[in-house]
Amino acid sequence: MQGKPVGRRCCKTGAIEHAQIWENPPHTIDLGTLGGPNSAIFQYNHGGVGRFVGWSETAHTDPYDENFCGFGTTHTCLGFVWQRGKMRALPLLGGNNDNANDENWRGQIVGASETNTKDSNCVAPRVFDFVGVIWQPNGKITTLPAYSGDTVSYAYTITQSGQFAVGQSGTCASAANHAVLWENGSLPINLGTLGGNVNVALDVNDLGQVIGNSNLSGNSVTHAFLWQKGTLKDLGTLPGDEDSFAGGINDEGQIVGESCDASGNCRGFLWQNGAITDLNAFIPPSKDVNVLFGANINDWGQIVGATVNAQSVEQAILLTPYFGPRVKTREISSVKKTLPESLRVQIQNPRSKFWDLRKLQDSPIVHRAGG
């Protein structure tokens, strides 16, 4: 799978946030909004060159005040397609809100859209059920049904062929009961669980390998997983950590994400060939940064993610495979850093991982002998 560095810009706490794309660092493009104050873009954007999808507040007030975009305002929320400087809203399925998360080269866009079904089981501020959708290039909407017995669904990513899409299914009160895979828009496959009740499928490659997050028994710990050919594998954590969260997978089966200790201090990881590696192992000592998480990885092995420096300044990073002479890297034991409480909360929310790409750094991934 191929992707493009994307994020959102936030000037300060509580400030207006806009979706942005990174182009020729450190230059970024502000994608603007659909008339409201805020917009955002998810880490998965696999569409054609110069096309991006996300969600934006509009100028209209949501009559039910559902905060569907998640910015804490009263504006309605719509998915968008951005191309050549213009942002276009995606059509609704009957409700007042929707959002878009990913697009493939065929122009198929996945996300979720509200229906007009009021559900008394919804937890405030939610009022209506919602369902995963594919916005087709011809303007039609394909719904991605919920798993048997569930009432809502939500889609995160779609493969380039359009064969596979992944997401979650549940009830309006508990929307992530099941991690699911849709094949050609059919009834979803329940990918199983690592023992808990919260399960989300986040990304899928063209081979049908799926990654996501699942709570362990007791629902106090979350681990990243890999599902393939009907088997769910726990990816575990880095040594000394408790939780892990998936970021992205490429067609080589390489997976990136984050691993966190019990206090919420997190480190990015690379999982390949059955082994998990701290991304900070690839950072030269001269770089005053700690990699917090790996957000996505393309088929060339390039990883985008986020870092924090000694001054607790957050920056995006691009890690590129390097096969030249070996460069000394730091010791694993020296990289973990205690993070500010606000940052620990932010990086454990899968839809809050958007970073100011104007400060993006470029660093090689140093391939160690045998790695």
Side-chain angles (χ1 to χ4, degrees), residues 64-78:
Y64 295 93
D65 195 13
E66 290 187 278
N67 187 30
F68 201 85
C69 268
F71 295 108
T73 75
T74 59
H75 295 268
T76 56
C77 181
L78 292 179

Side-chain angles (χ1 to χ4, degrees), residues 157-211:
T157 52
I158 188 170
T159 56
Q160 296 293 10
S161 66
Q163 180 180 2
F164 301 114
V166 295
Q168 65 193 48
S169 175
T171 68
C172 198
S174 180
N177 291 338
H178 303 106
V180 293
L181 167 72
W182 294 276
E183 184 171 2
N184 296 318
S186 62
L187 293 176
I189 298 170
N190 180 5
L191 305 185
T193 175
L194 296 178
N197 299 329
V198 179
N199 306 279
V200 179
L202 289 171
D203 198 11
V204 57
N205 65 17
D206 287 324
L207 302 178
Q209 296 174 302
V210 181
I211 61 167

Side-chain angles (χ1 to χ4, degrees), residues 315-347:
Q315 297 179 316
I317 194 169
L318 170 65
L319 299 173
T320 299
Y322 171 73
F323 298 96
R326 182 170 178 175
V327 177
K328 182 179 179 181
T329 54
R330 66 178 74 179
E331 294 295 327
I332 294 290
S333 60
S334 68
V335 302
K336 185 174 283 189
K337 177 182 185 296
T338 301
L339 305 177
E341 175 63 21
S342 59
L343 186 53
R344 290 201 299 268
V345 172
Q346 179 186 12
I347 63 179

Side-chain angles (χ1 to χ4, degrees), residues 248-303:
I249 184 171
N250 63 14
D251 284 343
E252 302 299 319
Q254 296 173 303
I255 300 166
V256 294
E258 64 184 342
S259 178
C260 306
D261 66 20
S263 298
N265 300 302
C266 301
R267 301 172 284 172
F269 72 76
L270 169 66
W271 187 97
Q272 60 181 350
N273 301 322
I276 188 170
T277 303
D278 191 331
L279 285 178
N280 291 282
F282 303 125
I283 305 298
S286 60
K287 296 282 187 178
D288 177 29
V289 293
N290 289 273
V291 181
L292 299 175
F293 69 88
N296 215 340
I297 182 169
N298 65 20
D299 292 341
W300 294 294
Q302 292 177 304
I303 298 169

